Amino acid sequence: MNSIYASLGTTVFETMSRLAAEKGAVNLGQGFPEEDGPRDILEAAARATLEGPNQYPPMRGLPALREAVATHYMEHQQIELDWQREVTITSGATEAIAAALLAFLEPGDEVVLFEPMYDAYLPMVRRAGGVPRIVRLQPRHWRIEREALAAVFTDKTRVVVINTPHNPCASVMTRGELELIAEFCRGHDAICVSDEVWEHVTFDGVQHVSMLEVLRDRTLKIGSAGKMFSLTGWKVGFACGAPALTEQFAKAHQFLTFTTPPNLQRAVTYALGKERDYFDDMRASFQRSRDRLVSALTAGGFVTLPARGAYFVSIDLTVSGIAMSDVDFARHAIEHGVATIPLSGFYAENGPRNLVRLCFAKRDETLDRGAEALIRAKRSA
Ligand code: GLN
């Protein structure tokens, strides 16, 4: 059987959520909001289900949804998209990334990745025949530097996968960083697959800049309704990019999932039209949760890294006075009643062992119980 999958374990998110459920621990591990998104969106999905049709929608997605995606990005990011030629609806962002890699890579092509990276990227790149060329980013700010790019781009580079806002780093790329990557993509005739699923989740006034603004003809931008509307289980994603990229992308998509549930597509069409206030309130509410968790942890002697985007914050164990590795501390913390995600799983190999990620998209009471459990775990670490 395929050796790439044979050598893999189960994803850390699934493992930690299962352990949390088994042990009755507070789940600050896997990234999902504790509360489902707005009632009116759920009702739109219920109505769409009952009214139908529930048969195969068009392969690239419902026209109304593709149009709504284009309108949304014009309003929120001033990006002009031709919905007929530049937008595809996918079954979640992970499917979009898989389809992009399958569509754009030939075996042996090099793919530039930045670590830590979302755990799905590396196996998908390898399975698509890509040869990973990895830039390691450094805490606390995880900045992208010219020398690091110069060291990994070669004449074999075909694709660069970026993620902004970043999971798990919670950093947000600046326009300058995007321009730097764009310069290397142009210079090496490479395509940028830009995972922007956290685009609406930024804090402290930080603005998300889309790679599509900076590198219009060579970027496939990936978005996620699950992240925008706190409905992560819906798995409705958007892939947006120039006609030539979209054309090729759709060929891979049509034989992966072919299409995405039409009732959910109709509900997301409705959701994308939400007022700007909805997005502002969501950001403000996640920011309050971040602040609540971080201040409880700080009071308990923990040191955290900056969290400027996505609903995650990481603890630096070493600086917090904990000698255990991230994996050991995560096991220990579960016993004290809280699930976390060790960051070493986001590295190809030999990642730092002193960082654990927490998801703060939770109710106040859950955050408080999580922080108390972490503090108990720290005392006996
Ligand atoms: N994106 C989620 C996270 O980072 C995990 C999604 C999943 O479990 N596949 O925690």
Side-chain angles (χ1 to χ4, degrees), residues 312-355:
F312 304 114
V313 63
S314 290
I315 293 176
D316 185 327
L317 296 174
T318 316
V319 184
S320 302
I322 297 167
M324 282 179 174
S325 75
D326 58 343
V327 172
D328 288 346
F329 183 76
R331 279 202 202 104
H332 175 73
I334 277 267
E335 298 302 326
H336 284 82
V338 59
T340 60
I341 300 287
L343 241 75
S344 51
F346 294 77
Y347 288 80
E349 52 190 7
N350 304 323
R353 307 204 156 269
N354 64 316
L355 300 171

Side-chain angles (χ1 to χ4, degrees), residues 11 13-14 29-32 118 167 198 227 312 346 357:
T11 159
F13 306 119
E14 175 82 12
Q30 190 178 31
F32 62 90
Y118 188 57
N167 176 12
W198 306 98
K227 307 294 191 287
F312 304 114
F346 294 77
R357 191 195 79 174

Side-chain angles (χ1 to χ4, degrees), residues 104-114 125 130-135 148-162 181-193 215 218:
F104 300 152
L105 291 175
E106 285 275 41
D109 284 347
E110 292 185 0
V111 179
V112 171
L113 297 160
F114 298 87
V125 163
V131 178
R133 302 275 300 181
I134 300 175
V135 174
L149 296 182
V152 292
F153 271 82
T154 73
D155 55 6
K156 292 204 186 116
T157 309
R158 256 326 45 91
V159 167
V160 183
V161 182
I162 66 168
I181 296 168
E183 178 191 321
F184 277 86
C185 286
R186 283 194 202 95
H188 291 81
D189 195 16
I191 297 168
C192 183
V193 174
L215 187 66
R218 294 176 171 274

Side-chain angles (χ1 to χ4, degrees), residues 56-218:
Y56 299 126
M59 181 271 281
R60 290 193 187 192
L62 290 178
L65 176 54
R66 291 158 66 204
E67 225 176 322
V69 168
T71 306
H72 182 88
Y73 284 133
M74 176 49 113
E75 272 174 28
H76 289 265
Q77 295 173 10
Q78 291 76 52
I79 294 167
E80 203 173 332
L81 287 163
D82 172 349
W83 68 266
Q84 305 200 56
R85 300 167 70 218
E86 298 192 311
V87 180
T88 313
I89 307 306
T90 60
S91 292
T94 303
E95 193 239 329
I97 295 165
L101 295 169
L102 291 170
F104 300 152
L105 291 175
E106 285 275 41
D109 284 347
E110 292 185 0
V111 179
V112 171
L113 297 160
F114 298 87
E115 70 180 358
M117 67 187 128
Y118 188 57
D119 70 341
Y121 294 173
L122 198 54
M124 292 198 295
V125 163
R126 291 200 168 118
R127 193 65 186 94
V131 178
R133 302 275 300 181
I134 300 175
V135 174
R136 183 170 289 200
L137 306 177
Q138 297 299 333
R140 298 170 53 93
H141 295 292
W142 313 101
R143 288 287 157 239
I144 289 163
E145 318 272 351
R146 175 178 294 276
E147 303 71 58
L149 296 182
V152 292
F153 271 82
T154 73
D155 55 6
K156 292 204 186 116
T157 309
R158 256 326 45 91
V159 167
V160 183
V161 182
I162 66 168
N163 174 214
T164 182
H166 194 279
N167 176 12
C169 296
S171 55
V172 180
M173 283 190 201
T174 62
R175 187 177 293 271
E177 287 173 302
L178 294 172
E179 277 167 359
L180 189 60
I181 296 168
E183 178 191 321
F184 277 86
C185 286
R186 283 194 202 95
H188 291 81
D189 195 16
I191 297 168
C192 183
V193 174
S194 187
D195 173 351
E196 301 180 15
V197 298
W198 306 98
E199 57 201 339
H200 279 296
V201 189
T202 58
F203 307 121
D204 308 320
V206 169
Q207 289 287 324
H208 167 73
V209 184
S210 174
M211 189 53 142
L212 210 45
E213 261 187 69
V214 176
L215 187 66
R216 184 65 177 79
D217 291 344
R218 294 176 171 274

